[in-house]
Amino acid sequence: MNSRKLRFSWLGFVLAFVIAASVMAVGCGPSLSYNSSALAEAQVGVAYSASVATAEGADDISYELKDGSTLPEGLTFSNGAISGTPTAAVSEKAFTVVATSGDLKAEAEFKITVKAAAFAYVGEEVSVVINTEANLSLATATGATTVTYTLKSGTLPEGLTFDNGVITGKATALGSATVVVTATATGLTPIDATWTIKVTKPVITYANVTAANGNVGAYYTALLATAKGASNITYAVEEGSELPAGLTLETDGLLHGKPTANGSKTFNVVASADGYESATATVNLRIRAAQEPDPGEGKLSYTGGKLDDGMEGIRYAKLESGTGVAVASTDNYGLVTYALASGSTLPAGLTLYENGALYGFPEKVGSHSFSVTATGDGCTESKTVEFTLKVLEPRLPIEAVVELKQATVGTPYSDSIAPADAAMEITFTAKTALPAGLTLDPDGTLHGTPTASYRSITFTAEGTAEGFSPATCEVAMVVKDKEIEIDGGKMEAEYIDLTGKVGAGYSGAANDEQLVQPGAVLNASNDFYIGYTHCVIMLEFKFISSKAASNVKINIGLASELGNVTFTPNEFDVMLNGQAISYGKFEIKGGASEGSWGNFADFTVTNSAALVEGENTITLMVKPNTFLKGQSTGGPGIDYVKVTTDATLRWTPCLYNTRGR
C-alpha cells in the first residue's frame, strides 16, 4: 500500500517537472513584437506611400491585412507597403495588419487620416513683350502631383502657342486675349481658370539719379542718359517738373548750363523710345553758393596730350574735372574755365563747354589736333596746350565674352546675347554650332528647348549693323540635365557632377569627365565607372528624397587594380549628409596579375541609414593610405551608389560625362 503511494507520488513529480520545463521552454522561445501606431496623414489626389512592416523579433516576416480590414479608397497593400493615390477623404480610418513568421503571429492596429483634396487653380493677368520670345507658365495648379493643362476656350495672341500650360513663341501685335485653361489630375474634378494675356511694349529701365553737386555761376554738366533697354532713347523733363534755374536738358540726356540759384532741387526725367513703354527717374541735384575767389596771385598748371579714342557716331563724354581736357590746376584753388584757342577747330560733332567738358558724337574718322586755353581765377596768366583725339570707325558694343543664364534639358529656354542699350540695330548670326535644340534669332535671342546637356558649351556669334564693322563674341552657357526619378535607387557614378574634380592614376592624372572610364569588360553597371582615384578625392552623390526615411539600405559597386585589398573607414569614408557611416570593411579582389583590374562587386554599406526629406548627399572619400606602391594613396574604381528605401528618390544626372564615348 505504501509502496504504491510512493510510486504514484514519484510519477506525479516527474509529470510536473516535464510540464514546468515545457512552460519554461515556451516562455524563452522566439516571440513577435508588433506595435500599433497612427500613420502620416494623406490627401485626396496626392500620391501616398507608407510602411507598416515594423514587427520585430524574427526574420522573414510577412504582412497581410486581417480579414475584414480595408484601406481608404485608392490605397493598396503589399506585404507591409501601403501606396496609391487616395480618392476620398476619411477621418482616422483604422485597419489591422497581421505579421507572420513561421508559427509566430502578431497583430497591430494602424490609423490613417485622408484629408480632403486641396486641388486649386486660379487664373490671373499675365503679360508678354511683343516680338520677344515668351516662356510663360500657366501650370500653377496646387494640390496634386501630376497635372495636365488644356486650352478649353479662347484664342492666344497671334504668334503664341500653348503646350500643357506653357506659352511660348513671339507675340506679333499689341493687345490682350482671354483664355480658359482646364487643369486635370487623376481622381480629382477638373478645374477651369480664366487667364488674361496682355501683349505689351518692351519696357525701358531708368533708375533714379543723384547728380554731382554744382555751384552758382560755375558752368555745370552732367549726363542723365542712364536708361537701358532700347536704342535711340530720348530724354525730357516730366510735365509739371522743373530743372534748377539756369540749366537745360538736351534730348540726348546732357544736363548743362550755369546755375543761378543755390539749394537742393528734385525733378523728374522721362526716358522714351519708339515702340517702348517710357520710364521716369527722379534726379536729385544740389546747387551750392558761388565760390569766393582766393586772395592773392595764383599759378596755373596745364598740360596737353593724347585723349582717349572716340568712335564715329558714338557718344563721347569727358565731363568730369580731371578728365579729357579739363585737367588744369591752380595753386590758389581758383575756378578754372576753358575755351577753344583762337583759330583751332574741334573734331566735327564735339562741343567744348566752359568747365572743360568735351561732349558730343564725333562725325568723321581720323586723327584730330586742337588747342585749348585754360584760365584760372586769380591767376596771373592763362595757358594754351594742344590735344590730339583719334576718331575710329564705329565698333559694335558687343562684349567679347557673353555668359547666358543656365538652361535645362526639356525645358523651354530664352535669353539674349544682344547688349541691352545699344544705340543701333544689330543683326546676329551663329558662326559655330549652337547647343542642341536651341536657335539664335537675328535680334540676338537664343531660344528653344534644349535636347542635350553640357557642363559648359561655347559658341561664336557675329553681330553686324549698318555703318559698323562686324564684331564677334564668344557665348558661354551651361545646360543641365532634367531632374528624374532614380531607377531602382541606383545612381551611376559616371553621372555625378565632376566639375573641378582632379584624380590620379598609376602614371597620369585626369580631371572632370576624364575620370570616367569604360568598364564593360569589368562588369561595370551601365558600362562605365570612375577611375583615377589614387589620390585624396571626394565624390558626391546628391539626390532628393520625397520624405524622411529610416532603415535605408546603401550599397556601392567597387573594383580594384591594387590586387586584393581591404578598405576600412581609415582608408575610405562613406558619409551620409556629412556623417560618416561605420561600414566595417570592403574586401575587394584585384585582377589576375599585379596592376590589373578585378571585376566590380556589390558591397553593403549599411541597412540602417536615415534620409531627410529633401536634399541628401552621399559622399565617398579616398583618404591617405599606402595601398599604391610608391605613391601615398590608392583608391578603388567606383561604379555606383544604390539606395534602397520606400521613399521616392530623384536626382539630376550629368549625362554629358559619357557623351561621345
Side-chain angles (χ1 to χ4, degrees), residues 126-136 160 169-174 197-203 275-276:
V126 293
S127 63
V128 297
V129 176
I130 189 170
N131 296 323
T132 301
E133 189 68 30
N135 182 13
L136 182 65
L160 300 181
K170 290 184 178 181
T172 57
L174 298 173
I197 303 163
K198 295 183 66 177
V199 181
T200 65
K201 294 178 181 179
V203 177
Y276 288 78

Side-chain angles (χ1 to χ4, degrees), residues 407-420:
T408 301
V409 171
T411 300
Y413 176 86
S414 180
D415 202 358
S416 178
I417 67 173

Side-chain angles (χ1 to χ4, degrees), residues 30-35 51-64 77-81 97-108 110:
S31 62
L32 203 56
S33 172
Y34 198 20
N35 297 319
S51 175
V52 294
T54 56
E56 297 178 344
D59 296 326
D60 300 323
I61 303 173
S62 61
Y63 300 87
E64 62 182 357
F77 186 95
S78 177
N79 195 27
V97 179
V98 180
T100 303
S101 178
D103 295 333
L104 301 177
K105 290 183 180 294
E107 295 182 359
F110 296 88

